[in-house]
Amino acid sequence: MQKTFGEKVVDFNKTLHYGGELPDGFDVLNPFFGNEETLTVMTSFYSKFYNDVNHRKFIIGINPSRHGAGVTGVPFTDTKRLESICGIEMKSAHTHEISSVFLYDVIQQYGGPEKFYSEFYINSPFPLAITRRTPRGSLNANYYDEKPLFLAVKKFMIESIKSHIDLGLDTSEVFILGKKNATFIEKLNAENHFFDRLTVLEHPRYIQQYKSKEKQHYIDKYIIALNNKQ
């Protein structure tokens, strides 16, 4: 019997492991090996919203944050929106993540999580959280923050994108979140021919932090782009 899209995602997440080296000062956080409830709520999410074999368009982020997918196992989804919008409670953690705030405003105005997730799949080229050790403690890091870091994880990213596509993605267009992220994805795409067309959108964190007064403009921009999918 053919596996559903959601079952494939759960299988992918359960076997996620980064075994490569990283430059000094960087660590990888795997949310699926630290908290048993993360596996439970992640499975509930994909069983609820991806219980079919339909193809979806890919929305590609950077890498998960410690307070979003780094806790819930669901990209751009903190525990607040996991419960209040998706209807899935996480008892062992309580997180607030600003990118999640913006993205779920988009999702609500698009038509709600059932409609949105029936058409789109969100993940990252490096699907595990990256942290940087600092005197203030561990901070979120992006895969492109330093050239040695990107070169260390590049092969893993390529294999990860291939695995995402194999879940059942429509590769005619990809939506990339973040302009700097897009410069790296464009290079990987030129080398590997993953997607036919790349549409770049401002990253939710950037919008929430620096363009909050223009938030509705960016929500509209997202919805127009997503509705124009070919």
Side-chain angles (χ1 to χ4, degrees):
M1 184 176 177
Q2 186 179 2
K3 287 189 175 183
T4 66
F5 196 113
E7 288 171 333
K8 291 178 183 179
V9 177
V10 171
D11 288 345
F12 171 79
N13 287 338
K14 284 182 175 180
T15 58
L16 260 181
H17 173 71
Y18 179 74
E21 295 185 358
L22 292 171
D24 289 342
F26 292 97
D27 298 298
V28 166
L29 169 66
N30 189 330
F32 306 112
F33 287 93
N35 184 342
E36 286 188 10
E37 194 182 11
T38 298
L39 277 175
T40 301
V41 299
M42 178 273 294
T43 301
S44 296
F45 176 87
Y46 287 106
S47 297
K48 181 174 184 177
F49 296 108
Y50 290 82
N51 188 32
D52 56 60
V53 296
N54 301 332
H55 284 220
R56 289 164 168 86
K57 286 285 177 65
F58 195 16
I59 299 175
I60 191 164
I62 302 170
N63 42 262
S65 76
R66 294 171 299 145
H67 302 300
V71 173
T72 64
V74 181
F76 288 95
T77 304
D78 59 18
T79 62
K80 287 183 180 180
R81 272 140 283 276
L82 183 69
E83 181 174 359
S84 65
I85 299 178
C86 299
I88 300 170
E89 182 184 7
M90 187 169 189
K91 297 180 180 179
S92 61
H94 302 280
T95 61
H96 174 88
E97 208 276 327
I98 65 171
S99 292
S100 184
V101 175
F102 176 82
L103 192 72
Y104 273 88
D105 284 344
V106 171
I107 288 172
Q108 290 290 70
Q109 293 190 36
Y110 189 80
E114 288 81 7
K115 175 176 170 57
F116 181 86
Y117 288 122
S118 73
E119 299 176 18
F120 300 100
Y121 168 73
I122 308 174
N123 215 308
S124 303
F126 192 90
L128 299 171
I130 302 175
T131 59
R132 182 199 296 265
R133 296 190 295 276
T134 76
R136 295 182 292 156
S138 293
L139 300 177
N140 287 327
N142 300 319
Y143 71 80
Y144 53 62
D145 281 348
E146 293 184 6
K147 186 175 181 180
L149 176 61
F150 171 67
L151 293 177
V153 301
K154 180 180 178 181
K155 182 178 178 181
F156 185 84
M157 289 171 59
I158 292 170
E159 293 305 313
S160 173
I161 293 173
K162 290 178 180 177
S163 295
H164 289 314
I165 290 171
D166 287 343
L167 297 173
L169 293 181
D170 177 349
T171 58
S172 62
E173 181 177 19
V174 65
F175 300 92
I176 305 172
L177 306 186
K179 293 183 178 180
K180 189 169 183 180
N181 185 31
T183 64
F184 286 84
I185 301 302
E186 286 167 357
K187 292 176 183 177
L188 293 180
N189 194 61
E191 296 170 2
N192 297 276
H193 310 289
F194 296 127
F195 309 103
D196 298 334
R197 183 156 63 105
L198 284 66
T199 297
V200 181
L201 295 163
E202 288 80 1
H203 196 277
R205 175 172 288 274
Y206 167 79
I207 296 167
Q208 285 289 117
Q209 282 189 319
Y210 303 108
K211 298 291 184 179
S212 60
K213 292 183 180 179
E214 303 168 57
K215 182 175 179 177
Q216 189 59 50
H217 163 76
Y218 287 99
I219 292 174
D220 293 342
K221 184 176 180 180
Y222 265 63
I223 291 174
I224 289 169
L226 297 176
N227 275 321
N228 282 343
K229 58 189 181 299
Q230 300 297 314

